[in-house]
Amino acid sequence: MFAVVDPKQARIIADFPILAKPTSRGKRLVYLDSAASSQKPQAVIDALVDYYSSYNANIHRGVYELAERATTAFEAARANVARFVNAAEAAEIIWTRNTTEAINLVSFSWGMQNLGPGDAILTTELEHHSNLVPWQLLAAKTGAELRFISADENGELLLDDLEEKLSGVKLVALTHISNTMGTIVPLDEIVPLAHAAGAVVLVDGAQSVPHMPVDVQALEVDFFAASGHKMCGPTGIGFLYGRRALLEAMPPFLTGGDMIRRVAYTETSFNEIPWKFEAGTSNIADAIALGAAVDYLRDVGLDWIRAHEIRLTAYALERLQTLVPRGLALYGPPEAADRAGVISFNLGDIHAHDLASLLDTEGVCVRAGHHCTMPLMDKMGWTATARASFYLYNTEDDIDVLVAALEKAAGVFRLA
């Protein structure tokens, strides 16, 4: 039984069928790894099944009713995502497999056209490999310089020399929320200075779109990338938001069917945006299901989700403090309101992987390792960390189970 008083919270938990299933050890599932991938509500599962069982057909090509129905649902999902992040129009949303592919699209299609020797790319020390490795490769190919905004011991960015670092920068690529430290990056400070310096701004929104209201026009970002599987949607679908003027000037990322206007034996003209960037048969089913996930999150309310996660994070930080005397080290901004629902930690000299395995015996799922932020780990002097991350279906009871499991682990390893 869940120790839940709030009827809304109870309804949310009931929407996720996996949460009603015990683990193989007979424990209640306490899923604290939503920063890696979220669980899926029944409405999203139903949307996926409904497409395959009721109107499975290819899009944009067929004139028969089934194909037209699939095309309508596919493009309606795109429009839904556009409204969700307040893009100016649906054509500014490009379907991709995930955040990683969206960032690589910008790197290849915009970066190779616009960067060269003497230019610079500015990113941060917090970045996921997906928002670092593409820029390393782009810098090597174009001769551009790669620069970094430093982070302090709490994972908060040091911006005192930002204007100096922006000199000669053509692209600023940075995360909205750190997947390791939970840091919320102050885009309201960085984006205006980046634009004043003449730079284009790309934001990795994988950790923000699922958890708080995002308005790409208010943020004034040029590109924004996200993954469906972190926002209650299926795996294998994500999106890139890009300003129309930038997308129209960019060459295709991949070529083949559906992204063309006309093909002759010796030349090709390309389709309009967004289809210019969507070669071949798209991930139709998962795009439609992501549209259902957006509907679900909108119905719950992003303001409610953000407030809920702040409450949970504050409670978790308070409860976890009781283990500090037994060797628990907590990382990230100290105040819950200044971070997302992500807490990285280590317990004594227990390796993070061993700790995660022990927690799993109690039904608690946490991530362990470098979280695809190896440079940040090296900077901080950590081999690895365990990471608990919260979402709309988590409760204070989940945190109590986590703390009890950590206390048990401390006992196993005889930590004082």
Side-chain angles (χ1 to χ4, degrees), residues 323 325-328 347-350 355 358-359 362 402-416:
L323 281 159
R326 303 187 72 179
L328 186 74
L347 182 57
D349 59 358
I350 309 174
L355 182 59
L358 282 169
L359 297 182
E362 300 300 313
L402 168 66
V403 172
L406 286 169
E407 289 172 342
K408 188 171 183 178
V412 169
F413 280 84
R414 298 178 180 176
L415 299 178

Side-chain angles (χ1 to χ4, degrees), residues 332-349:
E335 299 298 325
D338 296 333
R339 65 191 295 162
V342 173
I343 300 177
S344 284
F345 56 90
N346 279 307
L347 182 57
D349 59 358

Side-chain angles (χ1 to χ4, degrees), residues 73-312:
F74 179 80
E75 293 300 339
R78 187 196 310 273
N80 204 3
V81 169
R83 288 191 298 272
F84 191 65
V85 297
N86 195 32
E89 55 179 313
E92 293 182 325
I93 300 297
I94 311 298
W95 292 123
T96 63
R97 287 184 303 151
N98 43 44
T99 305
T100 301
E101 185 175 274
I103 292 170
N104 275 272
L105 190 162
V106 175
S107 176
F108 279 88
S109 189
W110 183 91
M112 292 297 292
Q113 265 203 326
N114 290 280
L115 292 176
D119 297 327
I121 304 164
L122 181 63
T123 185
T124 84
E125 293 182 338
L126 299 175
E127 301 307 317
H128 189 284
H129 297 162
S130 294
N131 201 32
L132 173 58
V133 177
W135 312 126
Q136 291 175 342
L137 296 180
L138 181 62
K141 289 175 182 176
T142 62
E145 177 190 358
L146 186 58
R147 300 176 188 165
F148 296 89
I149 301 173
S150 300
D152 66 16
E153 65 276 8
N154 291 323
E156 296 179 298
L157 296 181
L158 302 172
L159 302 178
D160 291 346
D161 60 348
L162 179 58
E163 290 189 59
E164 179 183 343
K165 285 185 174 176
L166 281 166
S167 177
V169 168
K170 286 283 190 69
L171 174 69
V172 175
L174 73 172
T175 187
H176 198 172
I177 292 175
S178 166
N179 70 304
T180 296
M181 305 286 278
T183 311
I184 301 173
V185 169
L187 296 181
D188 58 338
E189 296 180 47
I190 297 171
V191 174
L193 290 175
H195 284 156
V200 165
V201 178
L202 175 144
V203 171
D204 172 356
Q207 299 294 338
S208 62
V209 158
H211 302 281
M212 62 177 62
V214 167
D215 183 330
V216 293
Q217 293 190 74
L219 291 172
E220 298 185 335
V221 296
D222 301 294
F223 297 108
F224 190 95
S227 293
H229 71 96
K230 297 181 192 290
M231 50 190 290
C232 294
T235 56
I237 190 72
F239 66 89
L240 172 71
Y241 157 80
R243 288 196 296 109
R244 171 179 275 276
L246 290 171
L247 294 174
E248 287 184 334
M250 290 159 53
F253 176 43
L254 299 172
T255 56
D258 212 36
M259 49 74 62
I260 52 88
R261 185 188 303 276
R262 176 173 171 75
V263 177
Y265 279 116
T266 57
E267 61 182 6
T268 295
S269 59
F270 301 120
N271 209 337
E272 300 174 348
I273 64 167
W275 307 291
K276 178 173 72 171
F277 298 103
E278 296 175 0
T281 296
S282 295
N283 190 349
I284 305 163
D286 290 336
I288 291 168
L290 179 54
V294 164
D295 285 337
Y296 182 82
L297 293 176
R298 187 182 288 115
D299 287 345
V300 172
L302 271 294
D303 287 324
W304 184 91
I305 293 172
R306 175 61 184 148
H308 174 69
E309 291 181 9
I310 291 174
R311 288 193 302 271
L312 278 184

Side-chain angles (χ1 to χ4, degrees), residues 310-330:
I310 291 174
R311 288 193 302 271
L312 278 184
T313 305
Y315 182 74
L317 289 171
E318 179 184 357
R319 292 283 285 113
L320 289 167
Q321 283 293 330
T322 63
L323 281 159
V324 169
R326 303 187 72 179
L328 186 74
L330 298 169

Side-chain angles (χ1 to χ4, degrees), residues 29-110:
L29 176 63
V30 177
Y31 187 76
L32 300 177
D33 195 23
S34 294
S37 195
S38 68
Q39 295 300 337
K40 320 305 175 192
Q42 190 65 52
V44 170
I45 298 168
D46 289 345
L48 197 61
V49 172
D50 185 47
Y51 166 76
Y52 281 123
S53 60
S54 301
Y55 59 105
N56 175 36
N58 215 326
I59 55 171
H60 297 152
R61 301 178 179 94
V63 296
Y64 51 91
E65 187 271 338
L66 213 60
E68 289 182 350
R69 183 178 171 190
T71 299
T72 297
F74 179 80
E75 293 300 339
R78 187 196 310 273
N80 204 3
V81 169
R83 288 191 298 272
F84 191 65
V85 297
N86 195 32
E89 55 179 313
E92 293 182 325
I93 300 297
I94 311 298
W95 292 123
T96 63
R97 287 184 303 151
N98 43 44
T99 305
T100 301
E101 185 175 274
I103 292 170
N104 275 272
L105 190 162
V106 175
S107 176
F108 279 88
S109 189
W110 183 91

